[in-house]
Amino acid sequence: MDSQRLVQKFLTSQVSEKSLQIAKAALFDYLTVSLAAQSLETEQLKTAYKEQLEGTSLLIGEKGLATKAFSALHNGFRAHLLDLDDTHSSVRGHPSAVLFSALLTELPYHSGKAFLASYVIGLEIMARLGMAVNPDHYLQGWHNTSTLGGLAAAGALAYLKQMTVDQTLHSMSIAASQAAGLQMQFGTPIKPLHAGLAAKQAVEAVAMAQAGLAAEKDFLFADRGFRAVYAPKLNVAPLLEDWGKSWQVNQPGLWVKSYPFCSAAMSGADAAEYLHQKEGLREDEIAGVEVLFFKGRDQALKNRQPKTGEEGRFSIEYIVWLGLTGQEYSLDAFSSKALSSALRRQLLKVQRTYQEGSSDEPFVTVTVNLTDGRKLSQQVTYPKGSPRNPLTEKERRKKFTTYVRGPWAKPLEEKIKRMEQEEGDSLFSFLQTINGGKTDGRTCD
Amino acid sequence: MDSQRLVQKFLTSQVSEKSLQIAKAALFDYLTVSLAAQSLETEQLKTAYKEQLEGTSLLIGEKGLATKAFSALHNGFRAHLLDLDDTHSSVRGHPSAVLFSALLTELPYHSGKAFLASYVIGLEIMARLGMAVNPDHYLQGWHNTSTLGGLAAAGALAYLKQMTVDQTLHSMSIAASQAAGLQMQFGTPIKPLHAGLAAKQAVEAVAMAQAGLAAEKDFLFADRGFRAVYAPKLNVAPLLEDWGKSWQVNQPGLWVKSYPFCSAAMSGADAAEYLHQKEGLREDEIAGVEVLFFKGRDQALKNRQPKTGEEGRFSIEYIVWLGLTGQEYSLDAFSSKALSSALRRQLLKVQRTYQEGSSDEPFVTVTVNLTDGRKLSQQVTYPKGSPRNPLTEKERRKKFTTYVRGPWAKPLEEKIKRMEQEEGDSLFSFLQTINGGKTDGRTCD
């Protein structure tokens, strides 16, 4: 039974020192984007779950504690709310928002090192699942962040809690029976909710399996199981081969975002910004814009005519226009405020074109036709923040200081730096003291 | 936008008097099977959700109250746990377990009549969704009880709470992004869990939408929405046409089960029982058995060689063998106890055969080859409990008295009989007094 072989492989894996260091950087980024995301929507979510605002699990950036289930939901939602959180090309989705949010519910009972190792394992499962099911699963319309995230987070929790093979299989099977999340929600708050739902499903699935509920164990390959229904073309090899040889958190590595929009837009955004910086373009000079993608690579960018900045997170038209005209990719530019009709008319100038075939290094090319007849063009393969063009240490710190302010900001940095030497309850207690989160562009200072 | 047209149609519907009466009978059956289902598994579920055992919502058969989310989960799980709860041919699944469990969280705040009407509306949505997506959706491996149930229960709650069209669309869209449940779980406790998960998703989706979270409104037909991902061949007509002309709760009507196994086995079970009663068959007289199905009609009966009675709920081989040899279809016969190896060997005598084509009245034929060379055969089209061969009032009462005992049994019957004249809080308070549920074959007297 291949589901069992997968579980045996990851439960017995030892992660490398290098991968632990990357996990720490990922946690730092996760907390950065989560603390930045205090907003109307996080308040709405708390209202909906007011019955679960008592418990022992933390809500990032909030004073109170909550049930484990709501903690996972809230933290996952918040981590992905601004679309500033990391992504991974094997997953085709957002791993840290789901994985850390599920694992945080167990943090107090484990060492910092075990926590980080469990994240590495969870990411490995999620990335290998991605390699096994992509691109078909994603192209069908599933939001991989949640469909793969719930399974991976259940596995990560099982690793952290040193569960048996059978309990792990039951947990992941219960998670498989909740795998959901539709791409139609991209551009609405339900997209980030999917990250929270996956984390919550994992926490609940593990609790049910540990309480004794039994599920179909071969969750991936059973008749009418995960493969049959979600990914008929699933390729089993990437799930089982070469465990421990290298770690997906490092190779190919995480994409760490500088800007709050869909990662599929990052290359185009960089190209547009570069053209503006080089040429100092003004709106009235731009006659038309072409953005060239490899076919299917703009699938997530579903909004060609966004009505709000929030919808603009999934619009290459909006993002490229901002970049070309020298406007900042700020939180404010991607808020739920309506875009002006003048701006929306300008977006009609931006067209998408497509290149047939595929590439291991899919580039995006932005071409601007100027009113004076000139044509400017910029191609980007590795946008800033992608594994081949990573943020420097200084840039990561800049992201932190841009989005997170408060007396606890500095101590938090120190705490994460030392994390492999810490006990989990100490970081947990510290995270509890971080509240208010009055740092969001939408609600505050 | 057709999602909106659907919502407008059901939010403005008035249900018939006749359908309210059937809803009452359905509630009576729902409570019967729920009260019968106290078991190890319901305790396990409470253990997993111990953080949510405080709140204002009831747990059927239990003393305490809980959060709305856990109430819906627990009650849905419990209602479907014995597989004794009703089904519906348009749904190809179990409507009442999901719908009543979601609606009960709102019962105290509404009249008995409004509660019943909301159930009728929920069933109508679920059945019409079923007609729109079946048979492909089911044959793909989805468990319709949950994939359609969450959407329908969100709609039923919206009707009960008199929500706006937009809030209803957001609720159903959030539920659509959680639609899940794999048939691989048939024969495990996760199958009944799916009913609870759907009810819980609906309750949570409605709470989130009411708190202000916005989703893609055209949840059925948006690009990469429900249709695109779950049911590409969805036929829109059954969703929108002839609202109010008749009600699915009545026409074609519910299947009310007498026995705790999959409804796809009901015709075969009746045929086997009839042959035993007529011929007084003994085990050693039976050389072989053939069960003839229309192709695809035995899809849910996935266990050809069940190891336990629980797995036997989805095994026509086991069920027909019990019937032919005069054994009762009791709770005990379908418990998690292992089947003897002698019995399991006998099951190898039972073979399935298939008839090509389809039929509006798909019959099942059981043919027994006797050791003396004789051949006996019985065909059943309308098994006992199906809409064309319904349980009599007396048989329904017998089901109640078989499975439910206690000093509150009689008052409960009376209460339900008068339900359209009652306020919801009165029934709610009464249901709270019903505890212990020490009536299950597995745990008790």
Side-chain angles (χ1 to χ4, degrees), chain A residues 44 49 51-52 68 140 142 173 177 180-185 189-190 194 200 204 211 214 216 224 229 299, chain B residues 44 49 51-52 68 142 173 177 180-185 189 194 200 204 211 214-216 224 229 299:
Chain A
Q44 289 169 336
Y49 282 86
E51 288 185 301
Q52 296 195 41
K68 281 190 184 185
Q140 208 193 322
W142 292 113
S173 181
S177 253
L182 293 165
Q183 284 174 14
M184 70 171 178
Q185 308 288 9
I190 310 309
H194 290 163
K200 172 164 158 291
E204 295 179 287
E216 162 59 46
R224 288 163 263 170
V229 175
Q299 155 124 349
Chain B
Q44 290 169 336
Y49 282 84
E51 287 185 300
Q52 296 195 40
K68 280 189 184 186
W142 291 113
S173 182
S177 253
L182 292 165
Q183 284 175 15
M184 71 170 178
Q185 308 288 9
H194 290 164
K200 173 165 157 291
E204 296 179 286
E216 162 58 46
R224 289 163 262 170
V229 176
Q299 156 127 347

Side-chain angles (χ1 to χ4, degrees), chain B residues 96-229:
Chain B
S96 294
V98 181
L99 296 168
F100 282 129
S101 301
L103 289 168
L104 278 171
T105 61
E106 291 294 328
L107 176 61
Y109 322 113
H110 301 274
S111 71
K113 194 169 171 182
F115 177 87
L116 294 170
S118 304
Y119 166 81
V120 173
I121 294 292
L123 184 82
E124 191 70 20
I125 301 167
M126 195 165 172
R128 284 170 178 263
L129 279 170
M131 289 189 287
V133 305
N134 286 332
D136 291 58
H137 179 72
Y138 186 83
L139 294 176
Q140 208 191 322
W142 291 113
H143 186 194
N144 295 11
T145 298
S146 47
T147 52
L148 310 181
L151 284 170
L157 284 167
Y159 184 86
L160 185 62
K161 300 179 84 164
Q162 302 186 289
M163 285 162 60
T164 65
V165 170
D166 268 8
Q167 277 186 330
T168 307
L169 288 167
H170 292 315
S171 299
M172 292 178 81
S173 182
I174 297 173
S177 253
Q178 297 179 74
L182 292 165
Q183 284 175 15
M184 71 170 178
Q185 308 288 9
F186 286 11
T188 78
I190 310 308
K191 187 204 181 208
L193 187 74
H194 290 164
L197 288 169
K200 173 165 157 291
Q201 284 154 13
V203 166
E204 296 179 286
V206 164
M208 287 190 268
Q210 285 203 305
L213 288 173
E216 162 58 46
K217 285 199 280 189
D218 194 8
F219 60 93
L220 285 174
F221 301 102
D223 183 27
R224 289 163 262 170
F226 187 84
R227 174 173 61 180
V229 176

